Amino acid sequence: MDRVIVFDTTLRDGEQAPGFSMNTMEKLEMARQLARLQVDVIEAGFPISSDEDFEATRQVARQVGTLDNAPSICGLSRVGLADIDRCWEAVKYARKPRIHTFVATSDIHLKYKLRKSRAEVLKAAVDAVRHARAYCEDVEFSPEDASRSDFDYMCDVLSATIEAGARTINIPDTVGYAIPREWGERIARIHEKVEGLDRVVLSVHCHNDLGQAVANSLTAIMHGARQVECTINGIGERAGNASLEEIVMALRTRKDFFGVDTRVRTEEIFKASRLLSHITGVHVQPNKAIVGENAFAHEAGIHQDGVLKEKLTYEIMRPEDIGRPSNKLVLGKHSGRAALASRLKELGFSLAGSELDRAFKAFKDLADRKKEVYDEDLMAIVTDEATQGEALYELDYLHVISGTGVVPSATVRLKKEGQTYQDSGVGDGPVDAVLAAIDAITGLKGRLQDYSLRSATSGKDAIGEVAMKIDFDGTVVSGKGASTDVIEASARAYLSALNRIARSSSQRMKEVGP
Ligand code: KIV
Ligand code: ZN
């Protein structure tokens, strides 16, 4: 079957949106999950934009780009030759490195931003592609603001960059201006008009300003595009990019209509979405397609009845297809005992008899106050929501030695306001040692009051979620952290608690620590 290349730009376009920035470790953790998801290309960063972005891209290329069956690792660069050199320095470690170079082709951008003529921009694009091709075969070119570019001029630039050696031609709707039918026609016309297009992959990169990013991407596929650029949870500049999970599941669920497929292991989608939310602290809205809390929820009694009898009645996808452990019923005050028992069972609580009676009463009390009762509500008796805020301290590096017959020790490096601080600690276990090392850096001493660890999903490779309660000099704060490495998750949870206390008493922190 005809295959669509999935190019994930969560770590570049997604990460550059305000509130979504990730440090190198977070990018690496996300990149590993993207590799498990089996995306074809990871755009890991824009190396010239900052030293940190360079380093993060380089680490992704080194650590994820060298795995078996690794995706291509791509870096973004403008058409300046120094940009391309820097980009290559970062991605060159990957088995399959890609340089993605771009320049705007719309008259608006040429006049106000670049202050260059059409001829100058065309030459710069060709020179850039040639320069990049001297480094690697896999070169992608994008005419930025394509949806508002003069069509004939843009096609001239595309023909020239193909001639110069570009292997992928990506058409961005940079400002999310396109409307599906018009966009589909534009893609079809590019197919007809641009010389050499049959030798390259045609790609699209759609923004969501008018809420059309996924529709535009799918329409482009119907008109010959064979690469889509997208992000987990649809994060990205302004209203975001096209959402990976929505495109992939639309292609899969409606294979009968689109007749194309992807390599994506859809069972990893939910984990990828949750990991990104955890890392960035930004959760998707409950009604978000595919990964929102309610995406597989059925509130109406008649729907619940149907789903309990046969899921096909109201479900076009199975939760398992995206790695969601089970179907989710939203319970409300009209839900009965059977629906509650069924949901609790799926959540891991097999209650019957008087236990179920008590749970049912508590549920009814809650349902009187709230219209819908979600999983989180049902589990609220045991969980305390910890909010992650702006990080003052960030984990930069962690090394732990632990095992039978050795004294556990840890070395930790933290970043604070652009500076890094490193220290070490020992303890009666690896978590204790990590916390001691963090205390040595900050000068604060937190007393661990409570610690819990749970896996966010099923499977041995699941992400571990740690929740802690820490007493800092009489003030008790909670913290949460997640990672596929539970020791790192513990460090993150401790730091999120520390950041909360640090924000409320930053003056005091200055006196006692870095
Ligand atoms: O939106 C855009 O135009 C981009 C390009 C760099 C592809 O992100
Ligand atoms: Zn973009």
Side-chain angles (χ1 to χ4, degrees):
M1 180 175 282
D2 211 356
R3 195 162 72 75
V4 172
I5 295 167
V6 174
F7 176 115
D8 181 277
T9 184
T10 305
L11 302 180
R12 199 279 298 168
D13 210 324
E15 196 261 357
Q16 80 192 39
F20 289 92
S21 65
M22 293 174 232
N23 63 27
T24 300
M25 284 182 59
E26 290 166 338
K27 276 196 170 189
L28 267 173
E29 190 172 358
M30 199 62 219
R32 288 194 190 98
Q33 180 58 26
L34 292 171
R36 284 192 282 270
L37 188 61
Q38 252 174 239
V39 301
D40 300 283
V41 185
I42 295 178
E43 188 166 50
F46 188 0
I48 196 128
S49 67
S50 71
D51 288 347
E52 206 193 346
D53 218 30
F54 173 84
E55 186 54 22
T57 310
R58 196 168 74 107
Q59 290 303 334
V60 171
R62 283 185 109 122
Q63 299 191 37
V64 181
T66 49
L67 299 171
D68 287 344
N69 295 318
S72 302
I73 305 297
C74 176
L76 182 68
S77 78
R78 291 168 300 189
V79 286
L81 304 191
D83 272 45
I84 293 167
D85 295 340
R86 189 82 173 139
C87 182
W88 174 247
E89 282 308 307
V91 298
K92 68 181 181 191
Y93 304 92
R95 286 187 184 191
K96 293 181 274 174
R98 175 182 291 196
I99 297 174
H100 175 192
T101 184
F102 76 100
V103 66
T105 49
S106 70
D107 288 337
I108 301 171
H109 281 235
L110 263 61
K111 181 171 174 197
Y112 297 107
K113 186 179 83 172
L114 300 175
R115 302 208 166 111
K116 285 200 162 108
S117 68
R118 288 185 176 184
E120 284 172 312
V121 165
L122 189 146
K123 181 175 180 317
V126 167
D127 289 349
V129 170
R130 282 213 185 102
H131 191 67
R133 274 303 304 265
Y135 286 127
C136 65
E137 296 213 326
D138 194 357
V139 173
E140 171 171 332
F141 173 75
S142 294
E144 191 191 7
D145 203 16
S147 46
R148 295 189 300 167
S149 296
D150 175 79
F151 185 75
D152 291 336
Y153 169 64
M154 182 186 71
C155 288
D156 288 346
V157 175
L158 299 181
S159 301
T161 50
I162 292 173
E163 175 68 26
R167 290 283 169 93
T168 300
I169 289 295
N170 175 50
I171 313 298
D173 180 19
T174 305
V175 289
Y177 181 72
I179 301 297
R181 197 176 77 191
E182 167 203 45
W183 186 241
E185 284 164 7
R186 199 169 182 87
I187 299 301
R189 281 166 65 212
I190 289 173
H191 239 304
E192 284 159 22
K193 164 121 193 180
V194 174
E195 278 165 39
L197 205 75
D198 49 333
R199 301 197 304 271
V200 303
V201 174
L202 181 59
S203 166
V204 286
H205 173 114
C206 300
H207 279 272
N208 206 30
D209 300 66
L210 294 175
Q212 305 298 319
V214 170
N216 281 333
S217 305
L218 293 172
T219 309
I221 290 171
M222 289 163 59
H223 289 86
R226 283 298 174 267
Q227 175 179 285
V228 277
E229 302 200 354
C230 45
T231 58
I232 301 293
N233 295 346
I235 70 168
E237 282 278 355
R238 306 177 309 279
N241 287 68
S243 141
L244 179 146
E245 58 277 9
E246 292 178 25
I247 294 176
V248 167
M249 290 311 288
L251 294 180
R252 178 181 158 146
T253 308
R254 296 305 314 274
K255 210 183 265 182
D256 60 317
F257 180 78
F258 291 105
V260 293
D261 213 346
T262 71
R263 273 180 70 236
V264 167
R265 290 188 59 224
T266 60
E267 318 81 68
E268 294 291 335
I269 283 178
F270 192 60
K271 238 188 272 176
S273 166
R274 281 294 174 94
L275 177 62
L276 182 65
S277 293
H278 186 87
I279 287 174
T280 59
V282 184
H283 294 265
V284 297
Q285 82 265 21
N287 59 322
K288 165 84 173 67
I290 317 295
V291 291
E293 278 306 310
N294 297 355
F296 292 87
H298 305 278
E299 154 69 16
I302 195 164
H303 289 208
Q304 293 187 348
D305 182 53
V307 169
L308 287 170
K309 286 175 178 148
E310 170 52 59
K311 290 181 178 172
L312 271 178
T313 50
Y314 288 99
E315 280 185 7
I316 58 166
M317 297 167 276
R318 297 175 312 158
E320 309 88 270
D321 295 339
I322 61 153
R324 253 185 133 118
S326 61
N327 177 41
K328 176 175 171 147
L329 291 171
V330 172
L331 302 178
K333 63 180 175 186
H334 302 300
S335 302
R337 214 166 170 271
L340 176 70
S342 161
R343 187 66 211 132
L344 285 173
K345 197 162 178 221
E346 285 173 352
L347 291 172
F349 304 101
S350 285
L351 303 190
S354 60
E355 273 188 331
L356 181 57
D357 290 341
R358 282 200 303 277
F360 189 55
K361 179 167 182 331
F363 156 70
K364 281 282 176 190
D365 289 344
L366 190 60
D368 276 343
R369 282 179 278 128
K370 279 186 93 202
K371 187 176 172 288
E372 293 154 331
V373 178
Y374 294 89
D375 294 350
E376 292 73 14
D377 297 316
L378 295 176
M379 300 177 83
I381 40 167
V382 287
T383 54
D384 220 346
E385 194 67 30
T387 48
Q388 300 254 16
E390 287 260 295
L392 185 66
Y393 289 101
E394 285 174 6
L395 186 63
D396 195 39
Y397 171 82
L398 171 68
H399 184 241
V400 177
I401 299 172
S402 174
T404 46
V406 292
V407 177
S409 64
T411 302
V412 174
R413 190 164 66 229
L414 299 183
K415 252 201 196 149
K416 185 192 168 205
E417 291 163 350
Q419 303 253 36
T420 55
Y421 301 90
Q422 182 166 317
D423 218 318
S424 54
V426 291
D428 66 359
V431 173
D432 193 20
V434 168
L435 272 43
I438 294 175
D439 284 349
I441 295 172
T442 63
L444 290 177
K445 191 151 177 51
R447 220 167 43 81
L448 189 59
Q449 284 202 334
D450 205 358
Y451 176 100
S452 71
L453 167 65
R454 72 178 198 108
S455 74
T457 56
S458 58
K460 287 184 190 141
D461 58 346
I463 294 158
E465 286 187 332
V466 170
M468 288 181 180
K469 275 205 180 117
I470 322 279
D471 182 343
F472 288 105
D473 213 15
T475 308
V476 178
V477 286
S478 53
K480 268 171 86 177
S483 166
T484 46
D485 175 339
V486 297
I487 307 300
E488 190 191 313
S490 305
R492 288 181 187 281
Y494 191 69
L495 282 174
S496 80
L498 191 70
N499 282 324
R500 293 182 69 193
I501 196 90
R503 273 196 308 279
S504 60
S505 58
S506 55
Q507 194 48 46
R508 189 171 142 255
M509 297 281 288
K510 275 182 197 137
E511 289 158 18
V512 294

